[in-house]
Amino acid sequence: MEKHNHIYILSSLLFIALALLTDRLQAQEEVKPAFSVSGYVEVYYGFDFNKPLDGNRPGFVYSHNRHNEVNVNLAFLKGSYTAEKFRANLALAAGTYMNANYAAEPGVLKNLYEANVGVKLGRKANLWLDAGIFASHIGFESAVSKDCWAHTRSIMADNSPYYEAGAKLTFTNPNEKVVVSALLLNGWQRVKRVEGNSTPAFGTQLTLKPNSRVTFNWSTFIGNDKPDSLRRMRYFNNLYAIYQATEKFGLTAGFDFGFEQEAKGSSEMNNWYTPVLIARFTPNDKWAVAARAEYYDDENGVIIATNNAEGFKTQGYSLSVGYQPVQQVVLRAEGKVYKSKGDIFQRGDGSTTSTSPLLTFSIAATF
């Protein structure tokens, strides 16, 4: 109860501060500033056919990760301020997604989904400096299921950063077809840097939109996410392309690959990689169907550790169906199966298996 009181007090003070900034800066801006409040709630039910006794999906799943219970995946309330040369966002959140992804964060940081401020540096150029906690620059899937083509997240998305903390410099060219960002970060999905780590991490992002149907993206991460005594440099690349072939059919192809030192000071590297392909068909403005195929190879357990001698080598297949009765609400159902090289999945009876089938249903709303 005391923790909830602290969160309530913090959220109240921050929203009041944003409102006061709106009033104070309004007269100074050439473009009229705007303050808005929005929210998101997603409730889901998942059934894992391996029936884990503790109710938890496999350890590499960080979204929709509870079995056989109705639960909240993600719910947040967000305040945003936008002016000509200044912007700020604050979002406080709860849900099983937050519990899984923010487990290492201390205190009220566990509930900070977003908290950042930005200032425009160029008088004419669209150049912004933003600092705080914000959505990751890596990947095409976000924590907000309503915005994603598939209902649940890919192994790729669940095992690369959803969020990050630090500062980023972003330039957008005049026709908005090129966006370039450079980032200084606290680590690999970290608000609080790892204890004993004195090194910052770095990232870059290049997004190209040659026309309204095509998007290309290349994002990188360079850094050490361990204490200095165990320092291992990590070099990571995220590539994806989105092609909206027609108004009703689109394709997304992604490929991640990374390298990390085997040991401190070593010239030998462990690597991992993951391709993914998603096809989406939207026959009308209410229905959508998405099919996904993916593969994740992490032989040395850099990101996903297992007791399997060959490491984590897993295929994934899913089919999602979504129905949008009104603009603010989406109902979704998905069938998914993982097939691994080795019996890495635990059953409720104590045995192990190489497959993990799942059914998930959800209702999500924005306001």
Side-chain angles (χ1 to χ4, degrees), residues 175-221:
N175 62 15
E176 299 185 347
K177 291 186 176 183
V178 180
V179 181
V180 182
S181 297
L183 301 96
L184 176 67
L185 302 169
N186 292 346
W188 178 268
Q189 188 164 282
R190 303 281 183 182
V191 176
K192 180 179 182 290
R193 188 180 294 168
V194 173
E195 198 72 33
N197 182 324
S198 63
T199 58
F202 303 92
T204 63
Q205 184 173 19
L206 171 64
T207 303
L208 305 176
K209 296 181 179 181
N211 55 59
S212 61
R213 295 185 179 275
V214 178
T215 300
F216 297 104
N217 187 88
W218 175 34
S219 298
T220 69
F221 173 92

Side-chain angles (χ1 to χ4, degrees), residues 1-15 90 92-93 106-112:
M1 182 63 71
E2 183 179 353
K3 177 185 175 182
H4 291 163
N5 287 337
H6 288 164
I7 295 171
Y8 175 77
I9 293 170
L10 177 63
S11 64
S12 299
L13 290 174
L14 288 173
F15 276 117
L90 171 68
L92 299 178
V108 296
L109 292 181
K110 292 181 183 295
N111 298 95
L112 273 179

